[in-house]
Amino acid sequence: MSLVADAIWAASPSTTRGQPTQLSVDPKGERIAYASNKSIFLRSISNPSESTQYTGHTTQTSVARFSPSGYYVASGDVSGSVRVWDCVGEGATKGEYHIISGRINDIAWDGDSQRIIAVGDGRERFGHCITADSGNSVGEISGHSAQVNSASIRQQRPLRAATGGDDTSMVFYHGAPFKFNTSLRGQHSSFIYGVAFSPDGGTLVSVGADRKICLYDGKTAEARGQVGDGAHKGSIFGVSWAADSKRFVTASADRTVKIWDVESGKVVQDWRIGDDDAVVSIPDQQVGVVWPPRRADGTILSLSLSGDLNHLDPRQRTPVSVVRGHQKSVTAIGVAPQQGTLWTGSYDGRVCGWDVKEGVAAKVDGESHSNHVAGFAPASDGQGRIYSVGWDDTLRSVDVATKGFTGQVTKLDGQPRAVAGMGGKRVAVATPTGVDIYDEGADKVGGISTPFAPTTLSACTASSGSASVAVGGDDRVVRLYSSSAGARTLTLERELKAANADITLLAFSPTGKHLAVGTSAGKIVVYDTADYSVATDRWSAHSARVTSLAWDRAGQHAVSGALDTHVFVWSLAKPGRRVQAANAHKDGVNGVAWLEDERRVASVGGDAAVKVWRVEGL
């Protein structure tokens, strides 16, 4: 038995309101690179379900740029470090260099893929120029009095470079080594968010918060004037050139993306992102844009503040597709049996439904949770619903077929710890004061108050509609309750006091023959529900809090995840036989689930990605 990486369904790019997000594509126009949490993702443009992840950074990442050769990526983080790494092979780190004492906002490569300019928000300086292979200094970034937001290097000789920052100045450099040449302060009246040389090196463009688009000579930095005065109604956060150097595209907080003709200075195509033009939609603000080269379809990629990547075709007036996902740590996972959909919820309250075959996500329509999604529970009677609970203290239901919230919102008595489906169209929710029971309409119909604070629960439904409910308490005791079909209360049947650490997880097998108990110490004990004797206590490879466990349909194998970042698949018949996906998720694994084919498992965690693992040799 072995566990093999099958797919990474990437997280969405990290965004910040009022700040540009830099995007990059490889020279072939096949992959996009972006920063998300503490990782860098390289994602296929044509098939977004294909991606790779670089996890070498130890702090929040901020930018990633492909080298012109296409063999390396330079990425920066909020600590001021830049890493250069292989993006074709195994992702080995070529070098790590500390540039400034603050956030790296942008990185630029020269045409030879030898030199890098990294800029940002430092204390002693706002950027520096180094060699990619050794980190040796090959110039200095000067002339700015505030953080630098963007940098660009002319790809032809003589080498030129430009930077733009919050001090409203666009600084021009001659190189190499790069030295200050001139500072243009009169062109912009507010923050400069983007600068970019055209691919042929003939023109330089700058954009900013003053909604202006300024053009300059690529060799001399002589100002050529402005275009599109007043065309954008919000800050312009991004600019990118077409491969022919005759057009460029801009992205703005007014939710629009516009293609400009350089010679005429006029808009030749534009898109407005979002559903209703009359409504101000902050999540639809466009904070980044990139125009991939060498693509027959001419695709343009723009980034919404919500993290959605919009695929735009210049021949069409609406986005061809929108690639969605999570920006924040994914905190819950659920599977609706026989529906082919994987449900995930994140720390910011976003709920997504993933098509398991295609590996793409759809954002669940309707009013979602306002923060941390704590758990999912499919309806036990197969009525086509899945229930979710969140730290906004609400219970909500999702229609599986339409991938939309039903509109039923139930206020809970306290912060939910766990949710589980019961027989008779009932749902049990554990709160700090007890266990509440809700009907299919999410109306509270009963429950029990407990002298202990529940930490987790699990339920198993018999064919008669009766249910067994296991509740873990803060006193490290597992209590087993029974509930007949349609009953509105729970009856205590048994107590298990074997745990020597806080109980963090309970999971009945689908057959109801076994109950797995996970603890904060990383140990998992499995009980035989016939007499609650210990079936095995050898599932103890985790070294931190067990956060999730899921059984296969036969109840013979289980997959678990923990804060130690590892995923394990266990065998009940051979307890000592286990397989591991080490370091599966940066910052810990928060959820695991078996997919419908029973040959793959999915996991989610602090890196906001969904990962699929193939289990071989079962």
Side-chain angles (χ1 to χ4, degrees):
M1 188 167 66
S2 60
L3 198 58
V4 181
D6 190 64
I8 299 176
W9 300 341
S12 295
S14 294
T15 58
T16 302
R17 187 177 179 185
Q19 194 171 54
T21 299
Q22 309 295 348
L23 304 175
S24 175
V25 291
D26 67 6
K28 296 180 179 179
E30 296 175 348
R31 294 184 295 173
I32 181 174
Y34 58 80
S36 181
N37 299 296
K38 295 180 181 179
S39 302
I40 301 295
F41 288 95
L42 308 182
R43 195 169 194 172
S44 169
I45 296 174
S46 300
N47 186 3
S49 64
E50 296 180 1
S51 63
T52 57
Q53 180 183 13
Y54 176 75
T55 58
H57 289 274
T58 57
T59 58
Q60 178 85 18
T61 55
S62 53
V63 62
R65 294 282 190 183
F66 280 103
S67 67
S69 68
Y71 292 114
Y72 296 98
V73 168
S75 55
D77 58 35
V78 297
S79 71
S81 293
V82 170
R83 284 175 170 260
V84 179
W85 45 279
D86 171 27
C87 64
V88 177
E90 298 298 321
T93 301
K94 185 177 182 181
E96 179 181 9
Y97 317 112
H98 188 74
I99 305 298
I100 57 176
S101 56
R103 185 182 192 270
I104 300 291
N105 288 333
D106 199 6
I107 294 172
W109 288 84
D110 74 344
D112 300 326
S113 299
Q114 295 179 353
R115 304 172 187 87
I116 292 171
I117 291 179
V119 297
D121 187 11
R123 294 186 179 90
E124 296 82 12
R125 61 187 183 187
F126 298 106
H128 201 55
C129 183
I130 62 172
T131 55
D133 57 353
S134 64
N136 293 333
S137 177
V138 286
E140 61 180 21
I141 302 301
S142 59
H144 287 285
S145 59
Q147 75 167 340
V148 181
N149 297 313
S150 182
S152 182
I153 298 178
R154 188 172 184 264
Q155 300 296 289
Q156 299 79 14
R157 294 183 182 275
L159 294 180
R160 300 289 187 262
T163 56
D166 283 1
D167 57 2
T168 75
S169 63
M170 200 281 291
V171 180
F172 199 68
Y173 306 86
H174 286 188
F178 289 98
K179 295 181 179 179
F180 175 89
N181 175 257
T182 185
S183 177
L184 291 87
R185 293 183 178 272
Q187 302 300 311
H188 287 277
S189 59
S190 189
F191 304 154
I192 297 176
Y193 287 140
V195 296
F197 282 96
S198 61
D200 64 6
T203 307
L204 172 67
V205 62
S206 64
V207 298
D210 56 3
R211 312 171 188 178
K212 294 180 180 179
I213 303 171
C214 301
L215 299 177
Y216 315 84
D217 184 275
K219 288 184 180 180
T220 65
E222 179 184 352
R224 291 181 176 174
Q226 299 178 14
V227 299
D229 186 26
H232 279 297
K233 306 303 180 184
S235 298
I236 304 174
F237 286 118
V239 61
S240 181
W241 285 90
D244 60 10
S245 298
K246 296 179 180 180
R247 297 166 296 162
F248 61 86
V249 60
T250 56
S252 171
D254 63 5
R255 298 165 49 197
T256 63
V257 177
K258 298 179 184 291
I259 296 178
W260 300 84
D261 179 77
V262 176
E263 185 175 351
S264 66
K266 295 182 179 180
V267 175
V268 296
Q269 175 65 295
D270 65 345
W271 298 267
R272 188 173 182 85
I273 308 301
D275 297 329
D276 189 352
D277 291 348
V279 176
V280 176
S281 177
I282 292 174
D284 289 323
Q285 291 183 356
Q286 299 303 291
V287 296
V289 66
V290 66
W291 198 329
R294 302 184 182 181
R295 291 191 64 87
D297 56 9
T299 296
I300 295 170
L301 301 177
S302 74
L303 175 64
S304 301
L305 183 63
S306 63
D308 294 345
L309 281 169
N310 308 292
H311 288 225
L312 308 173
D313 187 333
R315 297 164 296 185
Q316 299 187 31
R317 296 290 300 171
T318 57
V320 176
S321 62
V322 180
V323 179
R324 296 183 169 89
H326 292 284
Q327 287 183 298
K328 303 294 184 182
S329 171
V330 182
T331 54
I333 188 171
V335 178
Q338 285 78 48
Q339 296 292 336
T341 303
L342 186 73
W343 302 91
T344 55
S346 54
Y347 186 77
D348 56 359
R350 170 173 274 211
V351 175
C352 291
W354 297 82
D355 185 312
V356 173
K357 290 184 179 180
E358 300 296 330
V360 295
K363 182 177 178 291
V364 177
D365 295 327
E367 184 182 356
S368 185
H369 296 280
S370 59
N371 52 31
H372 185 114
V373 180
F376 291 101
S380 58
D381 57 358
Q383 60 180 325
R385 288 188 181 183
I386 190 167
Y387 296 90
S388 65
V389 292
W391 283 6
D392 54 359
D393 298 351
T394 62
L395 169 68
R396 301 170 189 262
S397 61
V398 177
D399 186 289
V400 174
T402 63
K403 292 184 179 178
F405 285 100
T406 62
Q408 297 171 333
V409 181
T410 302
K411 191 67 177 177
L412 303 175
D413 293 338
Q415 187 179 90
R417 303 296 174 83
V419 60
M422 299 171 59
K425 300 181 179 180
R426 296 170 298 168
V427 179
V429 179
T431 67
T433 58
V435 179
D436 298 322
I437 300 175
Y438 298 85
D439 63 13
E440 62 177 335
D443 294 322
K444 184 178 178 180
V445 295
I448 58 170
S449 297
T450 58
F452 59 92
T455 57
T456 184
L457 92 166
S458 180
C460 179
T461 305
S463 57
S464 62
S466 62
S468 297
V469 180
V471 181
D474 60 352
D475 55 1
R476 300 183 176 180
V477 176
V478 178
R479 293 169 175 84
L480 284 305
Y481 297 87
S482 63
S483 179
S484 57
R488 300 187 176 187
T489 188
L490 301 174
T491 302
L492 181 64
E493 300 290 348
R494 182 189 292 264
E495 293 184 353
L496 302 176
K497 301 180 179 180
N500 57 3
D502 294 339
I503 298 169
T504 59
L505 171 109
L506 295 171
F508 278 105
S509 64
T511 59
K513 294 181 178 180
H514 296 96
L515 172 66
V517 179
T519 70
S520 59
K523 188 171 184 178
I524 302 170
V525 179
V526 180
Y527 294 91
D528 188 325
T529 57
D531 55 3
Y532 284 95
S533 60
V534 175
T536 182
D537 58 1
R538 297 179 61 188
W539 294 3
S540 55
H542 285 297
S543 59
R545 172 190 174 103
V546 181
T547 57
S548 181
L549 184 143
W551 293 88
D552 65 355
R553 280 194 291 267
Q556 293 300 307
H557 296 89
V559 57
S560 65
L563 292 184
D564 59 6
T565 75
H566 306 321
V567 171
F568 284 96
V569 174
W570 312 89
S571 170
L572 195 60
K574 299 179 179 179
R577 187 186 180 195
R578 63 175 184 267
V579 291
Q580 174 188 16
N583 304 312
H585 291 273
K586 204 172 181 71
D587 292 339
V589 180
N590 295 328
V592 293
W594 288 86
L595 299 183
E596 189 176 355
D597 57 13
E598 292 284 298
R599 294 293 177 182
R600 296 181 298 164
V601 296
S603 62
V604 297
D607 57 6
V610 179
K611 297 188 178 182
V612 179
W613 311 88
R614 188 171 65 255
V615 185
E616 297 180 341
L618 280 181

